[in-house]
Amino acid sequence: MSTLTLKGPYWVTVRQYRRTLWLTGALVIAALALIGGLRIWDARTPDVYVQDGYRDVAPDNDGYGMLRWAMEYLSLGMVLLPLLVGAFVAGPLIARELESGTYKLSLTQSVSPVRWLGSKLLTAVAVALATVGLLTGVYWMGWVRVGGSSQLHWADRGAYEITGTVLTAYALLAVAVGALIGLLVRRTLVAMAVTGGIVGLVLLVLGAYRWDFLSVRTITGPAVPNASTLHMPDNGLIMGKGLLSDTGQRMSGWFCPPDAPPSGCRTDVKATAEYLDYHPPSHFWPTQLIETGIVLALAALAVYAAFRVLRVRHP
């Protein structure tokens, strides 16, 4: 039993921030109660089945609508979770102890600087992974019901991060960046702001370029006046569409007859076909693994830099 008990700097860290841990647990329980309650409400109104076995949601099923609403906000909240993790690690966990000098007490208790920082990081990692894992389980409880609907497509912001491995990687990056910035800045509020900004920037940049990791698939079809003959296959993610000229040049706009209004029509060149670029659902996991690898590499670099800074300032 004693081997399972936290000791030394680990016990001190958990003891210091027990209120934060209790609050985190309460938020997870609240999310579970909300999504679980809405699933029960939704299940009380059976789905409507129409011709050819097509399944649809009953028009009076308010539980389904509330579940979708809650899932959209849960998606947003969980995407922002790494920012909160990073800000907490940078500020209260690291910078505040350096700013106030309380870390010196640990160093006088036969605890080396490396062990002091290591205990902080391991505790933060354990809590972050547990929180992300539990919230992901809650999210899946609702996702199996509303996944694929508007704003909850597999490639949408939030749904993409949470249903794969990317969010866990961002949580680890947040812990690593928070430790590094906390050691460098040594001011609580400034360290929290800088860490939140850095983690948020990484989220935005990789989010903007993640669909460039793999080549898109392209389908083409004949150019029909005022109409499109191409349809998104396999619930894919559309990346671009337009017309092809007789020379193979890609153009925006629509192919229109001569007597059509000029808005959106291409009359300067002859359109012979239209094209559509998309990512199929099969690109989800390769893209996830590539992005996860990039984020974990950044996290490893941040951890290495944090320990280097620690050794320089506290040899």
Side-chain angles (χ1 to χ4, degrees), residues 37-96:
L38 291 177
R39 280 303 309 271
I40 295 174
W41 183 11
D42 168 54
R44 294 178 64 182
T45 305
D47 288 346
V48 176
Y49 289 85
V50 296
Q51 62 182 358
D52 300 326
Y54 178 73
R55 181 178 180 180
D56 199 2
V57 178
D60 60 342
N61 190 348
D62 295 331
Y64 179 84
M66 290 296 296
L67 178 61
R68 283 198 67 261
W69 175 82
M71 286 291 291
E72 289 179 13
Y73 279 92
L74 183 59
S75 297
L76 176 61
M78 289 187 65
V79 169
L80 298 179
L81 183 62
L83 278 69
L84 299 178
V85 172
F88 175 78
V89 172
L93 198 63
I94 301 295
R96 187 169 67 184

Short mmCIF file of all heavy atoms in Angstrom, two decimals, residues 37-96:
data_model
loop_
_atom_site.label_atom_id
_atom_site.label_comp_id
_atom_site.label_asym_id
_atom_site.label_seq_id
_atom_site.Cartn_x
_atom_site.Cartn_y
_atom_site.Cartn_z
N GLY A 37 -27.18 13.12 -19.38
CA GLY A 37 -28.58 13.49 -19.23
C GLY A 37 -29.24 13.80 -20.57
O GLY A 37 -30.40 13.40 -20.80
N LEU A 38 -28.53 14.48 -21.45
CA LEU A 38 -29.09 14.80 -22.76
C LEU A 38 -29.24 13.54 -23.62
O LEU A 38 -30.19 13.44 -24.41
CB LEU A 38 -28.20 15.83 -23.47
CG LEU A 38 -28.22 17.23 -22.85
CD1 LEU A 38 -27.24 18.15 -23.58
CD2 LEU A 38 -29.62 17.82 -22.89
N ARG A 39 -28.34 12.58 -23.47
CA ARG A 39 -28.50 11.32 -24.21
C ARG A 39 -29.76 10.59 -23.75
O ARG A 39 -30.49 10.00 -24.57
CB ARG A 39 -27.27 10.43 -23.99
CG ARG A 39 -26.04 10.75 -24.84
CD ARG A 39 -26.32 10.73 -26.34
NE ARG A 39 -26.97 9.53 -26.78
CZ ARG A 39 -26.34 8.41 -27.18
NH1 ARG A 39 -25.03 8.39 -27.18
NH2 ARG A 39 -27.02 7.36 -27.60
N ILE A 40 -30.01 10.63 -22.44
CA ILE A 40 -31.23 9.98 -21.93
C ILE A 40 -32.47 10.71 -22.45
O ILE A 40 -33.46 10.07 -22.87
CB ILE A 40 -31.20 9.96 -20.39
CG1 ILE A 40 -30.06 9.07 -19.89
CG2 ILE A 40 -32.54 9.48 -19.83
CD1 ILE A 40 -29.86 9.11 -18.39
N TRP A 41 -32.43 12.03 -22.44
CA TRP A 41 -33.56 12.81 -22.96
C TRP A 41 -33.79 12.51 -24.44
O TRP A 41 -34.92 12.31 -24.89
CB TRP A 41 -33.28 14.30 -22.74
CG TRP A 41 -34.39 15.22 -23.15
CD1 TRP A 41 -35.68 14.86 -23.49
CD2 TRP A 41 -34.33 16.64 -23.25
NE1 TRP A 41 -36.41 15.97 -23.81
CE2 TRP A 41 -35.61 17.09 -23.67
CE3 TRP A 41 -33.34 17.57 -23.02
CZ2 TRP A 41 -35.90 18.43 -23.86
CZ3 TRP A 41 -33.62 18.92 -23.22
CH2 TRP A 41 -34.88 19.33 -23.63
N ASP A 42 -32.71 12.47 -25.19
CA ASP A 42 -32.81 12.18 -26.62
C ASP A 42 -33.39 10.78 -26.86
O ASP A 42 -34.21 10.58 -27.77
CB ASP A 42 -31.43 12.31 -27.26
CG ASP A 42 -31.37 11.76 -28.67
OD1 ASP A 42 -32.19 12.17 -29.51
OD2 ASP A 42 -30.51 10.89 -28.93
N ALA A 43 -32.98 9.82 -26.04
CA ALA A 43 -33.43 8.44 -26.25
C ALA A 43 -34.91 8.26 -25.96
O ALA A 43 -35.52 7.28 -26.41
CB ALA A 43 -32.61 7.49 -25.37
N ARG A 44 -35.50 9.19 -25.23
CA ARG A 44 -36.92 9.06 -24.89
C ARG A 44 -37.83 9.33 -26.09
O ARG A 44 -39.01 8.98 -26.06
CB ARG A 44 -37.27 10.02 -23.75
CG ARG A 44 -36.59 9.68 -22.44
CD ARG A 44 -36.92 10.69 -21.37
NE ARG A 44 -38.35 10.68 -21.06
CZ ARG A 44 -38.91 11.50 -20.17
NH1 ARG A 44 -38.17 12.39 -19.52
NH2 ARG A 44 -40.21 11.43 -19.93
N THR A 45 -37.29 9.96 -27.15
CA THR A 45 -38.06 10.21 -28.37
C THR A 45 -37.48 9.35 -29.48
O THR A 45 -36.37 9.62 -29.95
CB THR A 45 -37.99 11.70 -28.77
OG1 THR A 45 -38.42 12.50 -27.67
CG2 THR A 45 -38.88 11.96 -29.97
N PRO A 46 -38.15 8.31 -29.91
CA PRO A 46 -37.60 7.42 -30.94
C PRO A 46 -37.38 8.15 -32.26
O PRO A 46 -38.08 9.11 -32.60
CB PRO A 46 -38.68 6.34 -31.08
CG PRO A 46 -39.51 6.44 -29.85
CD PRO A 46 -39.47 7.88 -29.44
N ASP A 47 -36.41 7.68 -33.02
CA ASP A 47 -36.18 8.20 -34.36
C ASP A 47 -37.33 7.85 -35.28
O ASP A 47 -38.09 6.92 -35.03
CB ASP A 47 -34.87 7.64 -34.94
CG ASP A 47 -33.65 8.24 -34.26
OD1 ASP A 47 -33.82 9.26 -33.55
OD2 ASP A 47 -32.56 7.70 -34.41
N VAL A 48 -37.44 8.62 -36.35
CA VAL A 48 -38.47 8.38 -37.36
C VAL A 48 -37.86 7.58 -38.50
O VAL A 48 -36.77 7.89 -38.98
CB VAL A 48 -39.03 9.72 -37.89
CG1 VAL A 48 -40.02 9.47 -39.02
CG2 VAL A 48 -39.70 10.48 -36.76
N TYR A 49 -38.53 6.54 -38.94
CA TYR A 49 -38.07 5.73 -40.07
C TYR A 49 -39.03 5.95 -41.23
O TYR A 49 -40.24 5.80 -41.09
CB TYR A 49 -38.02 4.26 -39.69
CG TYR A 49 -36.92 3.94 -38.71
CD1 TYR A 49 -37.12 4.10 -37.35
CD2 TYR A 49 -35.68 3.51 -39.15
CE1 TYR A 49 -36.11 3.83 -36.45
CE2 TYR A 49 -34.66 3.22 -38.25
CZ TYR A 49 -34.89 3.39 -36.90
OH TYR A 49 -33.89 3.12 -36.01
N VAL A 50 -38.46 6.32 -42.37
CA VAL A 50 -39.26 6.56 -43.55
C VAL A 50 -38.92 5.53 -44.60
O VAL A 50 -38.28 4.53 -44.33
CB VAL A 50 -39.05 8.00 -44.07
CG1 VAL A 50 -39.54 9.01 -43.06
CG2 VAL A 50 -37.56 8.25 -44.36
N GLN A 51 -39.30 5.77 -45.85
CA GLN A 51 -39.14 4.78 -46.90
C GLN A 51 -37.68 4.40 -47.13
O GLN A 51 -36.78 5.18 -46.86
CB GLN A 51 -39.74 5.32 -48.21
CG GLN A 51 -39.07 6.59 -48.72
CD GLN A 51 -39.74 7.09 -49.99
OE1 GLN A 51 -40.66 6.46 -50.48
NE2 GLN A 51 -39.26 8.21 -50.51
N ASP A 52 -37.48 3.19 -47.63
CA ASP A 52 -36.17 2.63 -47.93
C ASP A 52 -35.30 2.48 -46.68
O ASP A 52 -34.07 2.42 -46.77
CB ASP A 52 -35.42 3.48 -48.96
CG ASP A 52 -36.17 3.58 -50.28
OD1 ASP A 52 -36.84 2.56 -50.64
OD2 ASP A 52 -36.13 4.63 -50.93
N GLY A 53 -35.93 2.45 -45.51
CA GLY A 53 -35.17 2.24 -44.29
C GLY A 53 -34.34 3.43 -43.85
O GLY A 53 -33.49 3.31 -42.97
N TYR A 54 -34.56 4.61 -44.43
CA TYR A 54 -33.79 5.81 -44.07
C TYR A 54 -34.15 6.26 -42.66
O TYR A 54 -35.32 6.39 -42.32
CB TYR A 54 -34.07 6.93 -45.07
CG TYR A 54 -33.35 8.21 -44.76
CD1 TYR A 54 -31.97 8.32 -44.97
CD2 TYR A 54 -34.04 9.30 -44.25
CE1 TYR A 54 -31.31 9.50 -44.68
CE2 TYR A 54 -33.38 10.47 -43.96
CZ TYR A 54 -32.02 10.57 -44.17
OH TYR A 54 -31.38 11.74 -43.87
N ARG A 55 -33.17 6.52 -41.86
CA ARG A 55 -33.37 6.89 -40.47
C ARG A 55 -33.24 8.40 -40.31
O ARG A 55 -32.29 9.01 -40.78
CB ARG A 55 -32.34 6.18 -39.59
CG ARG A 55 -32.46 6.48 -38.11
CD ARG A 55 -31.42 5.69 -37.34
NE ARG A 55 -31.47 5.94 -35.93
CZ ARG A 55 -30.65 5.37 -35.05
NH1 ARG A 55 -29.73 4.53 -35.47
NH2 ARG A 55 -30.75 5.64 -33.76
N ASP A 56 -34.20 9.01 -39.64
CA ASP A 56 -34.18 10.45 -39.43
C ASP A 56 -34.57 10.74 -37.98
O ASP A 56 -35.13 9.90 -37.29
CB ASP A 56 -35.15 11.14 -40.39
CG ASP A 56 -34.83 12.63 -40.52
OD1 ASP A 56 -33.85 13.06 -39.89
OD2 ASP A 56 -35.56 13.33 -41.23
N VAL A 57 -34.26 11.96 -37.54
CA VAL A 57 -34.57 12.37 -36.18
C VAL A 57 -36.00 12.88 -36.13
O VAL A 57 -36.45 13.61 -37.00
CB VAL A 57 -33.59 13.47 -35.72
CG1 VAL A 57 -33.95 13.93 -34.32
CG2 VAL A 57 -32.16 12.95 -35.75
N ALA A 58 -36.72 12.48 -35.10
CA ALA A 58 -38.10 12.93 -34.94
C ALA A 58 -38.14 14.46 -34.83
O ALA A 58 -37.30 15.06 -34.15
CB ALA A 58 -38.72 12.30 -33.70
N PRO A 59 -39.09 15.12 -35.50
CA PRO A 59 -39.13 16.59 -35.50
C PRO A 59 -39.36 17.19 -34.12
O PRO A 59 -38.99 18.34 -33.89
CB PRO A 59 -40.29 16.90 -36.46
CG PRO A 59 -41.11 15.65 -36.51
CD PRO A 59 -40.14 14.52 -36.34
N ASP A 60 -39.96 16.45 -33.20
CA ASP A 60 -40.22 16.98 -31.86
C ASP A 60 -39.17 16.54 -30.84
O ASP A 60 -39.39 16.66 -29.63
CB ASP A 60 -41.61 16.54 -31.39
CG ASP A 60 -41.74 15.01 -31.33
OD1 ASP A 60 -40.91 14.32 -31.96
OD2 ASP A 60 -42.68 14.53 -30.67
N ASN A 61 -38.03 16.06 -31.31
CA ASN A 61 -36.99 15.57 -30.41
C ASN A 61 -36.10 16.74 -29.97
O ASN A 61 -35.05 17.01 -30.55
CB ASN A 61 -36.15 14.49 -31.10
CG ASN A 61 -35.22 13.79 -30.12
OD1 ASN A 61 -35.02 14.23 -28.99
ND2 ASN A 61 -34.64 12.69 -30.55
N ASP A 62 -36.54 17.46 -28.94
CA ASP A 62 -35.76 18.58 -28.42
C ASP A 62 -34.47 18.10 -27.75
O ASP A 62 -33.48 18.84 -27.69
CB ASP A 62 -36.59 19.38 -27.42
CG ASP A 62 -37.79 20.05 -28.07
OD1 ASP A 62 -37.71 20.37 -29.27
OD2 ASP A 62 -38.82 20.24 -27.37
N GLY A 63 -34.47 16.88 -27.25
CA GLY A 63 -33.26 16.35 -26.62
C GLY A 63 -32.11 16.26 -27.60
O GLY A 63 -30.96 16.55 -27.25
N TYR A 64 -32.42 15.86 -28.83
CA TYR A 64 -31.37 15.77 -29.85
C TYR A 64 -30.80 17.16 -30.15
O TYR A 64 -29.58 17.32 -30.27
CB TYR A 64 -31.94 15.15 -31.13
CG TYR A 64 -30.94 15.03 -32.25
CD1 TYR A 64 -30.08 13.94 -32.33
CD2 TYR A 64 -30.84 16.01 -33.22
CE1 TYR A 64 -29.16 13.83 -33.36
CE2 TYR A 64 -29.92 15.92 -34.25
CZ TYR A 64 -29.09 14.83 -34.31
OH TYR A 64 -28.16 14.73 -35.34
N GLY A 65 -31.68 18.15 -30.28
CA GLY A 65 -31.20 19.50 -30.55
C GLY A 65 -30.34 20.04 -29.43
O GLY A 65 -29.30 20.67 -29.68
N MET A 66 -30.74 19.81 -28.18
CA MET A 66 -29.93 20.26 -27.06
C MET A 66 -28.60 19.52 -26.98
O MET A 66 -27.57 20.10 -26.62
CB MET A 66 -30.72 20.07 -25.76
CG MET A 66 -31.90 21.01 -25.60
SD MET A 66 -31.37 22.74 -25.50
CE MET A 66 -30.44 22.72 -23.98
N LEU A 67 -28.62 18.23 -27.34
CA LEU A 67 -27.38 17.46 -27.34
C LEU A 67 -26.40 18.02 -28.37
O LEU A 67 -25.21 18.15 -28.08
CB LEU A 67 -27.68 15.98 -27.63
CG LEU A 67 -26.47 15.04 -27.71
CD1 LEU A 67 -25.73 15.02 -26.38
CD2 LEU A 67 -26.90 13.64 -28.11
N ARG A 68 -26.91 18.33 -29.56
CA ARG A 68 -26.04 18.92 -30.58
C ARG A 68 -25.47 20.25 -30.10
O ARG A 68 -24.29 20.54 -30.29
CB ARG A 68 -26.81 19.15 -31.88
CG ARG A 68 -27.04 17.91 -32.71
CD ARG A 68 -27.39 18.26 -34.14
NE ARG A 68 -26.26 18.85 -34.81
CZ ARG A 68 -26.07 20.14 -34.99
NH1 ARG A 68 -26.93 21.03 -34.56
NH2 ARG A 68 -25.00 20.59 -35.62
N TRP A 69 -26.31 21.07 -29.50
CA TRP A 69 -25.87 22.37 -28.97
C TRP A 69 -24.77 22.18 -27.92
O TRP A 69 -23.75 22.87 -27.94
CB TRP A 69 -27.07 23.10 -28.37
CG TRP A 69 -26.73 24.38 -27.69
CD1 TRP A 69 -26.55 25.61 -28.27
CD2 TRP A 69 -26.52 24.57 -26.28
NE1 TRP A 69 -26.25 26.55 -27.31
CE2 TRP A 69 -26.23 25.94 -26.08
CE3 TRP A 69 -26.57 23.71 -25.18
CZ2 TRP A 69 -25.98 26.47 -24.81
CZ3 TRP A 69 -26.31 24.24 -23.92
CH2 TRP A 69 -26.02 25.60 -23.75
N ALA A 70 -24.99 21.25 -26.99
CA ALA A 70 -24.00 21.01 -25.95
C ALA A 70 -22.70 20.47 -26.53
O ALA A 70 -21.60 20.84 -26.08
CB ALA A 70 -24.56 20.03 -24.92
N MET A 71 -22.79 19.61 -27.53
CA MET A 71 -21.59 19.04 -28.14
C MET A 71 -20.77 20.11 -28.87
O MET A 71 -19.53 20.06 -28.89
CB MET A 71 -21.98 17.92 -29.09
CG MET A 71 -22.42 16.65 -28.38
SD MET A 71 -21.06 15.82 -27.53
CE MET A 71 -20.10 15.25 -28.96
N GLU A 72 -21.45 21.06 -29.49
CA GLU A 72 -20.72 22.14 -30.17
C GLU A 72 -19.91 22.95 -29.17
O GLU A 72 -18.74 23.29 -29.42
CB GLU A 72 -21.70 23.03 -30.93
CG GLU A 72 -22.32 22.38 -32.15
CD GLU A 72 -23.30 23.29 -32.86
OE1 GLU A 72 -23.30 24.51 -32.55
OE2 GLU A 72 -24.08 22.81 -33.70
N TYR A 73 -20.52 23.28 -28.03
CA TYR A 73 -19.80 24.07 -27.03
C TYR A 73 -18.73 23.22 -26.33
O TYR A 73 -17.67 23.75 -25.94
CB TYR A 73 -20.78 24.65 -26.02
CG TYR A 73 -21.46 25.90 -26.53
CD1 TYR A 73 -22.68 25.83 -27.19
CD2 TYR A 73 -20.86 27.15 -26.38
CE1 TYR A 73 -23.30 26.97 -27.68
CE2 TYR A 73 -21.47 28.30 -26.85
CZ TYR A 73 -22.69 28.21 -27.51
OH TYR A 73 -23.29 29.34 -27.99
N LEU A 74 -19.00 21.94 -26.14
CA LEU A 74 -17.98 21.07 -25.55
C LEU A 74 -16.78 20.95 -26.48
O LEU A 74 -15.63 20.91 -26.02
CB LEU A 74 -18.57 19.69 -25.27
CG LEU A 74 -17.65 18.67 -24.59
CD1 LEU A 74 -17.16 19.20 -23.25
CD2 LEU A 74 -18.35 17.33 -24.40
N SER A 75 -17.03 20.92 -27.79
CA SER A 75 -15.93 20.89 -28.76
C SER A 75 -15.04 22.11 -28.61
O SER A 75 -13.81 22.00 -28.57
CB SER A 75 -16.49 20.83 -30.19
OG SER A 75 -17.23 19.64 -30.40
N LEU A 76 -15.66 23.28 -28.53
CA LEU A 76 -14.89 24.52 -28.38
C LEU A 76 -14.11 24.52 -27.08
O LEU A 76 -12.93 24.87 -27.04
CB LEU A 76 -15.84 25.71 -28.44
CG LEU A 76 -15.21 27.09 -28.20
CD1 LEU A 76 -14.15 27.40 -29.25
CD2 LEU A 76 -16.27 28.18 -28.16
N GLY A 77 -14.78 24.12 -25.99
CA GLY A 77 -14.11 24.13 -24.70
C GLY A 77 -12.92 23.19 -24.63
O GLY A 77 -11.87 23.53 -24.08
N MET A 78 -13.05 22.02 -25.23
CA MET A 78 -11.96 21.05 -25.17
C MET A 78 -10.79 21.46 -26.06
O MET A 78 -9.63 21.15 -25.75
CB MET A 78 -12.47 19.66 -25.54
CG MET A 78 -13.36 19.05 -24.47
SD MET A 78 -13.81 17.33 -24.77
CE MET A 78 -12.20 16.52 -24.65
N VAL A 79 -11.06 22.16 -27.16
CA VAL A 79 -9.97 22.65 -27.99
C VAL A 79 -9.17 23.70 -27.24
O VAL A 79 -7.94 23.81 -27.40
CB VAL A 79 -10.53 23.23 -29.32
CG1 VAL A 79 -9.45 23.99 -30.07
CG2 VAL A 79 -11.05 22.10 -30.20
N LEU A 80 -9.83 24.49 -26.40
CA LEU A 80 -9.14 25.52 -25.62
C LEU A 80 -8.48 24.95 -24.36
O LEU A 80 -7.74 25.67 -23.68
CB LEU A 80 -10.13 26.62 -25.23
CG LEU A 80 -10.76 27.39 -26.39
CD1 LEU A 80 -11.73 28.43 -25.86
CD2 LEU A 80 -9.70 28.04 -27.26
N LEU A 81 -8.75 23.69 -24.03
CA LEU A 81 -8.20 23.09 -22.82
C LEU A 81 -6.67 23.15 -22.76
O LEU A 81 -6.12 23.46 -21.68
CB LEU A 81 -8.68 21.64 -22.70
CG LEU A 81 -8.25 20.87 -21.46
CD1 LEU A 81 -8.80 21.55 -20.20
CD2 LEU A 81 -8.74 19.42 -21.52
N PRO A 82 -5.92 22.88 -23.85
CA PRO A 82 -4.46 22.99 -23.76
C PRO A 82 -3.98 24.38 -23.35
O PRO A 82 -2.95 24.51 -22.67
CB PRO A 82 -3.99 22.63 -25.18
CG PRO A 82 -5.06 21.75 -25.71
CD PRO A 82 -6.33 22.31 -25.14
N LEU A 83 -4.70 25.44 -23.76
CA LEU A 83 -4.31 26.79 -23.34
C LEU A 83 -4.40 26.94 -21.83
O LEU A 83 -3.52 27.53 -21.20
CB LEU A 83 -5.19 27.84 -24.02
CG LEU A 83 -4.84 28.26 -25.45
CD1 LEU A 83 -5.09 27.12 -26.43
CD2 LEU A 83 -5.64 29.48 -25.86
N LEU A 84 -5.46 26.38 -21.24
CA LEU A 84 -5.62 26.46 -19.79
C LEU A 84 -4.55 25.63 -19.08
O LEU A 84 -4.01 26.06 -18.05
CB LEU A 84 -7.02 25.97 -19.40
CG LEU A 84 -8.20 26.76 -19.97
CD1 LEU A 84 -9.52 26.13 -19.53
CD2 LEU A 84 -8.13 28.21 -19.53
N VAL A 85 -4.26 24.46 -19.62
CA VAL A 85 -3.21 23.62 -19.03
C VAL A 85 -1.87 24.33 -19.05
O VAL A 85 -1.15 24.40 -18.04
CB VAL A 85 -3.12 22.27 -19.77
CG1 VAL A 85 -1.91 21.48 -19.29
CG2 VAL A 85 -4.39 21.46 -19.57
N GLY A 86 -1.51 24.89 -20.21
CA GLY A 86 -0.24 25.58 -20.33
C GLY A 86 -0.15 26.79 -19.42
O GLY A 86 0.89 27.03 -18.78
N ALA A 87 -1.24 27.56 -19.34
CA ALA A 87 -1.23 28.75 -18.49
C ALA A 87 -1.08 28.37 -17.02
O ALA A 87 -0.36 29.03 -16.25
CB ALA A 87 -2.52 29.55 -18.70
N PHE A 88 -1.73 27.29 -16.60
CA PHE A 88 -1.63 26.87 -15.20
C PHE A 88 -0.21 26.40 -14.88
O PHE A 88 0.35 26.75 -13.84
CB PHE A 88 -2.62 25.75 -14.90
CG PHE A 88 -2.48 25.19 -13.52
CD1 PHE A 88 -2.99 25.87 -12.42
CD2 PHE A 88 -1.81 23.99 -13.30
CE1 PHE A 88 -2.85 25.36 -11.14
CE2 PHE A 88 -1.66 23.48 -12.03
CZ PHE A 88 -2.18 24.17 -10.94
N VAL A 89 0.38 25.59 -15.77
CA VAL A 89 1.73 25.08 -15.51
C VAL A 89 2.73 26.23 -15.48
O VAL A 89 3.60 26.30 -14.60
CB VAL A 89 2.13 24.04 -16.58
CG1 VAL A 89 3.60 23.66 -16.43
CG2 VAL A 89 1.25 22.81 -16.47
N ALA A 90 2.60 27.16 -16.44
CA ALA A 90 3.54 28.28 -16.51
C ALA A 90 3.42 29.21 -15.31
O ALA A 90 4.43 29.66 -14.76
CB ALA A 90 3.32 29.06 -17.80
N GLY A 91 2.16 29.49 -14.91
CA GLY A 91 1.96 30.46 -13.85
C GLY A 91 2.01 29.88 -12.46
O GLY A 91 3.06 29.89 -11.80
N PRO A 92 0.89 29.35 -11.94
CA PRO A 92 0.87 28.87 -10.55
C PRO A 92 1.87 27.76 -10.25
O PRO A 92 2.43 27.70 -9.16
CB PRO A 92 -0.57 28.37 -10.38
CG PRO A 92 -1.35 29.13 -11.39
CD PRO A 92 -0.44 29.30 -12.56
N LEU A 93 2.10 26.86 -11.20
CA LEU A 93 2.92 25.69 -10.90
C LEU A 93 4.42 25.99 -10.90
O LEU A 93 5.16 25.46 -10.08
CB LEU A 93 2.63 24.58 -11.92
CG LEU A 93 3.07 23.16 -11.52
CD1 LEU A 93 2.31 22.69 -10.29
CD2 LEU A 93 2.84 22.19 -12.67
N ILE A 94 4.88 26.84 -11.82
CA ILE A 94 6.32 27.10 -11.95
C ILE A 94 6.68 28.55 -11.59
O ILE A 94 7.43 28.80 -10.65
CB ILE A 94 6.80 26.80 -13.39
CG1 ILE A 94 6.50 25.35 -13.77
CG2 ILE A 94 8.30 27.09 -13.51
CD1 ILE A 94 7.24 24.33 -12.97
N ALA A 95 6.16 29.50 -12.34
CA ALA A 95 6.59 30.89 -12.19
C ALA A 95 6.28 31.45 -10.80
O ALA A 95 7.09 32.19 -10.24
CB ALA A 95 5.92 31.76 -13.27
N ARG A 96 5.14 31.12 -10.23
CA ARG A 96 4.79 31.68 -8.93
C ARG A 96 5.75 31.22 -7.85
O ARG A 96 6.12 32.00 -6.95
CB ARG A 96 3.35 31.31 -8.55
CG ARG A 96 2.89 32.01 -7.27
CD ARG A 96 1.40 31.84 -7.07
NE ARG A 96 1.03 30.45 -6.80
CZ ARG A 96 -0.23 30.04 -6.67
NH1 ARG A 96 -1.23 30.91 -6.83
NH2 ARG A 96 -0.50 28.77 -6.42
#
